[in-house]
Amino acid sequence: MGWTGKVLRVNLTNGTVQSEPLNMDWAQQYLGQRGLATKYLVEEIDAQCDPLGPDNKLIFATGPLTGTCASTGGRYSVITKGPLTNAIACSNSGGYFGAELKFAGWDMVILEGKSPKPVYLCVTDDKAELLDASDIWGTSVWKTDEWIKAKHQDPMMHVATIGISGENGVLYSAIVNDLHRAAGRSGVGAVMGSKNLKAFAVRGTKGVKVRDGRAFMKATNDGKQVLAENAVTGSGLPTYGTQVLMNAINEAGASPTRNSREVQFEGAHDISAEAMATPRSTDGEKNLQTNQACFACTIACGRISKIDEKHFTVVNKPEYWHSSGGLEYEAAWALGNNTGVNDLEALTYAQFICNEQGLDPISLGATISAAMELFELGLITTEQTGGIDLKFGNAEALVKCTELTGKAEGFGKELGLGSARLCAKYGRPDLSMSVKGQEFPAYDARGIQGMGLTYATSNRGACHLRSYTVASEMLGIPEKTDPLVTEGKAGLVKAFQDATAAVDSAGICVFTTFAWTLEDIAPQVDAAVEGGWTPDKMLEVGERIWNMERMFNHRAGFTGKDDMLPPRLMKEAAQTGPAKGLVSGLDKMLPEYYQLRGWTADGVPTTETLSRLAV
């Protein structure tokens, strides 16, 4: 109930597929999706394996609420060892693919080995087979999706695939499903490409059963009411999407700008949600066409945009004269504020390329930003860039770099390494705004102190979706805390991390937590599956997951020394805005965080902590 109880194991080396029962003891300990699949991964691979080698595994996993009528119950995750970081990787996506996988009767699919030739996995309910992908190898996400649906004569099939970037090992390449939803971070697409797996297509007709239908309907309906009545989930996100944050974060002096040299971008309003919704002077049309919801979602924060056909990016490219997934806040910031580009249409075009070729726009924009600073310092020249004038604010340069990276051509091959490797290659590793090799997103750790600790301690490298303290520090959810102080932030970060791990494992979207607490979520999980799921049990599961991920990283070679921010954030004070004069207070927060976690002073979970959590 809730769980299907089935795992599909695919050996790409041998070309075999087989069904096996889900480990229900583990399901009680780790719930599903992020937690449960990570448990499988850490039990089955060597933490020091090559992420792009055949010994690494790639797991597509759903949660117990995936495919149900619980609001946002369409999530799935891809779990592996990440090539960008060499750490644990779990990348979450929405759309419809996750629900379809659950409808086909599978809790998770484990992909192991490496195919001797390009293949794609096709699953239709209980039938699973590996099919030849030679005709679509070297094509985009969009072409692959179209080809598979035509091949199987089924427009209702849902496809998760990589683009050319994933085939060619761009270290932050994504897996894109439903044309523009993505498991976007940590390079899961590169792992898929390393296995010669082009795509995963699924069609399911079984539906999902729950433990107690009457209790489930009450719990989910109550939850939807809470979402509808909340200002963020009921109004802000549906109207403006995550881009509602662009002007607010910028005005708070917490928007990393030009590779974090600054904390405010003078062009933020030009690329904001309001700008997207304002008719253009050229044709009277708007960049933003409509919002869009993922499966079972009552929030509908997704953006669908259309580029001005007269804009230089597409004027001779009619293949882009259509709507696709538009700018979310993180992408708009990474491609805009961080590079100094305030051309809304150019940013939208770059986002379309990320959709088309499967790129993480956060790491892409941050890497281009780092390259721009290296260029400004004369460490990279037009000889390396192939003639590109890689100055901050150059929209044409941003567009060209995105195109090259999407196909791993020319200077795009270097950009595809990510900022940590790129900056190290040119002698300035300090200019990579990353943690554990992964670029941090759109919140400056000087202006929002809790996010500095969040980035430093995130198990998958710098990430906002592991502990979104912005909710508390900026929005007052669940309670308002001062973003400029370090006091209390260690406890806040731990609480957010543990709760988020549980939410990710349930199969729903973390955006629900702008309105929901575990008091709202636990009744939905409990009605779906057996096990007596209370808020306290879910929080314990989240803590167990966090420590399991931490121990995997420890075995992979990470230590407390890796829980560190770039020197710029620790030494160079913010020059403007409310945080003027401040640096990150990570050194004050980290020891308290370790103590609250039950870890040693070096950041290693103690025997007592691991025993208490049964990790």
Side-chain angles (χ1 to χ4, degrees), residues 339-359:
T339 66
V341 174
N342 65 336
D343 184 331
L344 178 62
E345 303 302 315
L347 302 191
T348 304
Y349 175 76
Q351 176 64 57
F352 277 25
I353 297 296
C354 290
N355 297 340
E356 183 188 25
Q357 297 299 355
L359 290 169

Side-chain angles (χ1 to χ4, degrees), residues 53 113 244 321 381 610:
V244 71
W321 294 356
T381 69
L610 296 177

Side-chain angles (χ1 to χ4, degrees), residues 345-561:
E345 303 302 315
L347 302 191
T348 304
Y349 175 76
Q351 176 64 57
F352 277 25
I353 297 296
C354 290
N355 297 340
E356 183 188 25
Q357 297 299 355
L359 290 169
D360 169 15
I362 298 176
S363 284
L364 172 69
T367 302
I368 293 173
S369 176
M372 285 176 166
E373 184 162 3
L374 291 168
F375 186 84
E376 186 178 272
L377 294 171
L379 299 172
I380 289 176
T381 69
T382 52
E383 183 178 351
Q384 283 82 37
T385 66
I388 301 172
D389 185 21
L390 202 57
K391 293 179 181 176
F392 283 112
N394 188 338
E396 290 84 356
L398 169 70
V399 165
K400 186 62 176 177
C401 285
T402 302
E403 291 174 337
L404 289 172
T405 308
K407 295 184 178 180
E409 296 175 351
F411 187 58
K413 292 181 181 179
E414 294 212 62
L415 293 171
L417 296 172
S419 68
R421 291 171 177 84
L422 181 75
C423 291
K425 177 176 180 178
Y426 288 100
R428 290 295 302 272
D430 57 301
L431 296 183
S432 170
M433 298 300 113
S434 61
V435 175
K436 300 179 180 71
Q438 180 158 278
E439 293 74 17
F440 60 71
Y443 312 92
D444 194 281
R446 293 161 291 195
I448 307 178
Q449 290 287 327
M451 291 308 291
L453 181 60
T454 287
Y455 295 157
T457 58
S458 171
N459 289 326
R460 71 166 182 173
C463 176
H464 60 300
L465 292 175
R466 288 296 178 267
S467 166
Y468 194 67
T469 65
V470 174
S472 172
E473 295 179 279
M474 297 301 298
L475 304 176
I477 299 170
E479 62 184 15
K480 185 72 174 73
T481 55
D482 186 342
L484 302 181
V485 305
T486 58
E487 289 79 12
K489 297 301 168 64
L492 184 71
V493 168
K494 178 184 181 298
F496 269 78
Q497 287 173 338
D498 292 346
T500 300
V503 172
D504 285 345
S505 301
I508 55 176
C509 179
V510 71
F511 284 3
T512 59
T513 59
F514 284 119
W516 288 349
T517 68
L518 292 180
E519 297 284 346
D520 300 290
I521 298 170
Q524 300 179 57
V525 174
D526 186 60
V529 294
E530 62 272 11
W533 292 89
T534 64
D536 286 344
K537 180 175 179 177
M538 290 194 67
L539 199 61
E540 181 182 274
V541 166
E543 186 179 8
R544 180 177 299 120
I545 292 165
W546 194 263
N547 281 268
M548 172 179 60
E549 293 173 336
R550 181 76 177 192
M551 287 305 298
F552 177 90
N553 285 352
H554 180 64
R555 291 191 293 273
F558 289 89
T559 70
K561 293 180 181 179

